[in-house]
Amino acid sequence: MTEFKLLATAAAGIEALVNRELKDLGYQTQTENGRVRFQGDIKAIARTNLWLRTADRVKIIVGEFDAKTFDDLFEQTKALAWEELLPIDANFPVSGRSSHHSQLHNVPSIQAITKKAIVERLSMVYHRRTRLTESGSKYPIEVAIDKDHVILTLDTTGDSLFKRGYRQAKGAAPMKENLAAALVMLAHWFPDNPFVDPVCGSGTIPIEAALIGHNIAPGINRHFMMEQWLNLTPAELLDEVRDEADAQAHYDVELDITGYDIDQSMVAIAQQNARAAGLSQDITFKQLALKDWRTEKLNGVIVANPPYGERLSDQANVRELYRQMGQLYRPMTTWSKYILTADLEFEKFYGAPATKKRKLYNGALRTDLFQYWGKKQR
């Protein structure tokens, strides 16, 4: 099978997790800002789309080069073997982005010239004197320029990988599934230990924990753009990869995962999403205020994404919640706590400095993951 140069894109701050996932799948990697490079055949593309929990997309690198003029961009794009990827009827929209550090920064012009170059290449190869119909399957192309370096990619994923397919409903400020999975992975939780989300909202963090606990591939119940590509993707490939993933799942593992929320309507939404994920028997959701929770269990993990109090009118209530967290969690010395918030004064109200902090982005919002490591009791 043809080997492709590939990119797995990721939100800032979690590239290392994507790198680890790819290495666990058996690929050699190179980590850069916002992406991890690797190589593989069409089956590798299917496997990584199916298995990557923390990435956004998997893309084929069609070519990369330096370009300071539109002539450079046109000629070097035209020189690439687009016919090896795009059939004669391919529908290939071109999107673009460019940094302020590049000579070429007019994105509409970059897109138009890239598109024209690909059209000329395909028209020449396919001996077309009339326009290409673009009536077939979609092959989304992106041209990205940073410091005059051009990377042309083909998106194999379609809808971003965070769209697992189980979210039937959501709350006011839902967390993306891949960030939720990243939080669970950063917590170093083992499936034989208790897992609690005290402010679970629509249930994304507990659901991602259950998927990890059972080793269920996050993309097993969704489709990908590459499935439409009859010229590249063998007809039975995705079924084969899904069957292999299903055989690796540990459905019989018993999990102790609980999600609490003060709002009963959010609890109902979380339960609905868990049912859609096929995990309703693995997660307990209950209506409960954070301050009212108690447990005799040991060696657990708490992962929470509480309200951030971005509006001044909310700040006092949110910081009272942080204070309640500190009062309740500080004595729980065998438990590890991982709390994500944009409030950089969190430690002050929690009442203790974090063992470690990690900068992450919840969408475009800069946040910190405040980590309090417990000491397990044997």
Side-chain angles (χ1 to χ4, degrees):
M1 282 189 178
T2 303
E3 283 276 312
F4 299 98
K5 293 181 179 179
L6 303 168
L7 286 178
T9 63
I14 60 173
E15 301 93 340
L17 294 178
V18 176
N19 179 68
R20 191 207 313 171
E21 288 192 85
L22 284 166
K23 285 187 172 179
D24 287 346
L25 289 170
Y27 303 106
Q28 294 185 330
T29 61
Q30 178 184 336
T31 304
E32 302 173 357
N33 287 336
R35 63 195 182 206
V36 182
R37 294 176 183 254
F38 65 109
Q39 292 189 23
D41 58 15
I42 195 69
K43 185 173 182 180
I45 295 172
R47 286 184 72 225
T48 51
N49 270 304
L50 200 73
W51 275 104
L52 289 177
R53 300 182 190 279
T54 57
D56 289 322
R57 296 180 182 278
V58 177
K59 298 181 177 184
I60 296 171
I61 302 174
V62 185
E64 54 184 316
F65 48 81
D66 292 335
K68 294 185 178 181
T69 68
F70 284 119
D71 282 344
D72 287 342
L73 176 63
F74 180 86
E75 293 299 335
Q76 293 189 80
T77 300
K78 183 181 174 183
L80 298 172
W82 291 98
E83 67 278 5
E84 294 179 1
L85 297 169
L86 307 181
I88 191 171
D89 64 346
N91 172 13
F92 54 101
V94 177
S95 61
R97 55 187 176 85
S98 179
S99 74
H100 295 297
H101 305 292
S102 300
Q103 297 293 313
L104 304 179
H105 50 76
N106 185 299
V107 171
S109 297
I110 290 168
Q111 293 173 195
I113 287 167
T114 301
K115 178 83 174 187
K116 183 179 178 183
I118 300 170
V119 168
E120 286 209 14
R121 171 77 185 203
L122 295 179
S123 296
M124 178 181 68
V125 170
Y126 291 128
H127 308 291
R128 293 295 296 242
R129 294 183 180 178
T130 57
R131 291 184 63 185
L132 298 168
T133 64
E134 295 199 46
S135 59
S137 298
K138 192 174 181 180
Y139 293 73
I141 293 162
E142 182 186 67
V143 50
I145 307 179
D146 183 34
K147 298 177 183 176
D148 299 322
H149 186 70
V150 179
I151 300 184
L152 288 155
T153 56
L154 174 61
D155 175 28
T156 73
T157 301
D159 287 339
S160 177
L161 290 175
F162 80 82
K163 294 188 177 181
R164 318 287 205 220
Y166 63 72
R167 183 174 277 175
Q168 305 295 296
K170 55 189 179 182
M175 172 178 283
K176 288 182 178 179
E177 290 88 328
N178 49 6
L179 178 57
L183 296 183
V184 177
M185 291 169 68
L186 288 169
H188 303 290
W189 170 67
F190 292 95
D192 56 347
N193 291 326
F195 184 98
V196 172
D197 179 353
V199 282
C200 69
S202 58
T204 308
I205 293 174
I207 291 170
E208 290 297 318
L211 290 173
I212 290 170
H214 284 308
N215 196 40
I216 297 172
I220 200 162
N221 291 320
R222 57 159 286 177
H223 293 281
F224 306 99
M225 185 65 68
M226 63 172 295
E227 293 179 71
Q228 303 175 22
W229 301 345
L230 302 183
N231 61 318
L232 297 176
T233 308
E236 305 301 322
L237 178 63
L238 267 295
D239 286 340
E240 175 188 333
V241 172
R242 287 190 179 98
D243 287 344
E244 289 175 359
D246 193 46
Q248 294 176 53
H250 308 309
Y251 295 113
D252 293 334
V253 171
E254 289 192 14
L255 303 175
D256 183 357
I257 300 175
T258 312
Y260 300 100
D261 202 280
I262 197 169
D263 184 346
Q264 178 57 41
S265 65
M266 294 308 303
V267 171
I269 288 172
Q271 291 169 332
Q272 182 182 354
N273 290 338
R275 281 194 298 273
L279 297 167
S280 59
Q281 302 302 309
D282 301 283
I283 309 168
T284 300
F285 290 107
K286 292 182 180 178
Q287 180 186 17
L288 190 71
L290 183 146
K291 64 182 176 62
D292 295 329
W293 177 65
R294 299 290 184 274
T295 185
E296 298 298 322
K297 296 175 183 177
L298 301 174
N299 303 333
V301 168
I302 292 168
V303 178
N305 178 41
Y308 302 160
E310 293 177 79
R311 294 181 298 185
L312 286 176
S313 58
D314 298 333
Q315 196 174 73
N317 289 336
V318 167
R319 287 179 166 175
E320 172 61 19
L321 184 69
Y322 299 161
R323 189 187 64 77
Q324 292 171 4
M325 283 182 163
Q327 284 186 328
L328 181 59
Y329 299 158
R330 285 197 309 271
M332 297 170 58
T333 55
T334 72
W335 284 66
S336 292
K337 308 97 183 178
Y338 295 79
I339 300 157
L340 186 74
T341 176
D343 189 337
L344 298 183
E345 293 191 76
F346 171 81
E347 292 160 299
K348 171 183 172 183
F349 296 96
Y350 183 87
T355 311
K356 184 178 180 181
K357 290 186 287 186
R358 185 181 184 124
K359 181 169 69 174
L360 296 172
Y361 283 85
N362 189 353
L365 183 64
R366 152 73 191 275
T367 60
D368 278 277
L369 182 63
F370 293 88
Q371 306 173 40
Y372 296 86
W373 300 346
K375 294 183 179 179
K376 285 192 175 181
Q377 183 171 313
R378 301 296 180 183

